[in-house]
Short mmCIF file of all heavy atoms in Angstrom, two decimals:
data_model
loop_
_atom_site.label_atom_id
_atom_site.label_comp_id
_atom_site.label_asym_id
_atom_site.label_seq_id
_atom_site.Cartn_x
_atom_site.Cartn_y
_atom_site.Cartn_z
N ALA J 39 184.45 197.43 351.07
CA ALA J 39 184.60 196.43 352.11
C ALA J 39 186.07 196.19 352.39
O ALA J 39 186.88 196.06 351.46
CB ALA J 39 183.93 195.11 351.70
N GLY J 40 186.43 196.14 353.67
CA GLY J 40 187.81 195.91 354.06
C GLY J 40 187.99 196.04 355.55
O GLY J 40 187.02 196.26 356.30
N ARG J 41 189.25 195.93 355.99
CA ARG J 41 189.52 195.92 357.43
C ARG J 41 189.53 197.30 358.06
O ARG J 41 189.20 197.46 359.24
CB ARG J 41 190.87 195.25 357.68
CG ARG J 41 190.89 193.77 357.37
CD ARG J 41 192.26 193.18 357.69
NE ARG J 41 192.29 191.74 357.45
CZ ARG J 41 193.35 190.97 357.66
NH1 ARG J 41 194.47 191.51 358.10
NH2 ARG J 41 193.30 189.67 357.42
N ASN J 42 189.95 198.32 357.31
CA ASN J 42 190.18 199.63 357.89
C ASN J 42 189.10 200.62 357.45
O ASN J 42 189.17 201.19 356.35
CB ASN J 42 191.57 200.14 357.50
CG ASN J 42 192.01 201.31 358.34
OD1 ASN J 42 191.24 202.22 358.61
ND2 ASN J 42 193.27 201.29 358.75
N ARG J 43 188.13 200.83 358.32
CA ARG J 43 187.01 201.71 357.99
C ARG J 43 187.48 203.14 357.71
O ARG J 43 187.03 203.78 356.77
CB ARG J 43 186.01 201.69 359.14
CG ARG J 43 184.78 202.56 358.91
CD ARG J 43 183.83 202.51 360.11
NE ARG J 43 182.63 203.26 359.82
CZ ARG J 43 181.57 202.77 359.21
NH1 ARG J 43 181.57 201.52 358.78
NH2 ARG J 43 180.50 203.52 358.98
N ALA J 44 188.42 203.62 358.52
CA ALA J 44 188.89 205.00 358.36
C ALA J 44 189.56 205.20 357.01
O ALA J 44 189.33 206.22 356.34
CB ALA J 44 189.86 205.35 359.49
N LYS J 45 190.37 204.25 356.58
CA LYS J 45 191.04 204.37 355.28
C LYS J 45 190.02 204.36 354.14
O LYS J 45 190.15 205.13 353.18
CB LYS J 45 192.04 203.24 355.10
CG LYS J 45 193.37 203.45 355.79
CD LYS J 45 194.37 202.39 355.37
CE LYS J 45 195.74 202.66 355.99
NZ LYS J 45 196.74 201.64 355.54
N MET J 46 189.03 203.50 354.24
CA MET J 46 188.02 203.43 353.18
C MET J 46 187.23 204.73 353.11
O MET J 46 186.97 205.25 352.01
CB MET J 46 187.10 202.23 353.41
CG MET J 46 187.79 200.90 353.19
SD MET J 46 186.67 199.47 353.29
CE MET J 46 186.31 199.43 355.05
N LEU J 47 186.85 205.27 354.25
CA LEU J 47 186.13 206.54 354.26
C LEU J 47 187.01 207.66 353.72
O LEU J 47 186.53 208.56 353.02
CB LEU J 47 185.66 206.87 355.67
CG LEU J 47 184.53 206.00 356.22
CD1 LEU J 47 184.28 206.30 357.69
CD2 LEU J 47 183.25 206.21 355.41
N GLY J 48 188.33 207.58 354.01
CA GLY J 48 189.25 208.58 353.50
C GLY J 48 189.36 208.56 351.99
O GLY J 48 189.38 209.60 351.33
N VAL J 49 189.41 207.35 351.41
CA VAL J 49 189.46 207.23 349.94
C VAL J 49 188.19 207.80 349.33
O VAL J 49 188.23 208.55 348.34
CB VAL J 49 189.65 205.75 349.54
CG1 VAL J 49 189.40 205.58 348.04
CG2 VAL J 49 191.05 205.28 349.90
N ALA J 50 187.04 207.45 349.89
CA ALA J 50 185.77 207.96 349.36
C ALA J 50 185.71 209.48 349.45
O ALA J 50 185.25 210.15 348.52
CB ALA J 50 184.60 207.33 350.12
N GLN J 51 186.20 210.02 350.56
CA GLN J 51 186.18 211.48 350.75
C GLN J 51 187.07 212.17 349.73
O GLN J 51 186.69 213.21 349.17
CB GLN J 51 186.63 211.82 352.16
CG GLN J 51 186.52 213.31 352.50
CD GLN J 51 186.89 213.59 353.94
OE1 GLN J 51 187.55 212.80 354.59
NE2 GLN J 51 186.46 214.74 354.45
N ARG J 52 188.25 211.62 349.47
CA ARG J 52 189.16 212.23 348.48
C ARG J 52 188.54 212.24 347.10
O ARG J 52 188.83 213.13 346.29
CB ARG J 52 190.49 211.46 348.45
CG ARG J 52 191.38 211.75 349.64
CD ARG J 52 192.81 211.32 349.37
NE ARG J 52 192.93 209.89 349.14
CZ ARG J 52 193.06 208.98 350.09
NH1 ARG J 52 193.08 209.35 351.36
NH2 ARG J 52 193.19 207.70 349.79
N LEU J 53 187.69 211.26 346.82
CA LEU J 53 187.03 211.19 345.52
C LEU J 53 185.67 211.89 345.54
O LEU J 53 184.91 211.79 344.58
CB LEU J 53 186.87 209.73 345.09
CG LEU J 53 188.18 208.98 344.86
CD1 LEU J 53 187.90 207.51 344.54
CD2 LEU J 53 188.97 209.61 343.73
N GLN J 54 185.38 212.57 346.66
CA GLN J 54 184.14 213.34 346.83
C GLN J 54 182.91 212.46 346.60
O GLN J 54 181.96 212.84 345.91
CB GLN J 54 184.12 214.55 345.89
CG GLN J 54 185.28 215.51 346.12
CD GLN J 54 185.24 216.72 345.19
OE1 GLN J 54 184.83 216.61 344.04
NE2 GLN J 54 185.67 217.87 345.70
N ALA J 55 182.96 211.28 347.22
CA ALA J 55 181.86 210.33 347.08
C ALA J 55 181.37 209.91 348.46
O ALA J 55 182.18 209.66 349.36
CB ALA J 55 182.32 209.10 346.29
#
Side-chain angles (χ1 to χ4, degrees):
R41 292 182 178 181
N42 194 317
R43 181 181 184 86
K45 280 189 176 182
M46 291 186 289
L47 289 173
V49 168
Q51 185 176 20
R52 284 197 298 274
L53 296 176
Q54 300 181 325

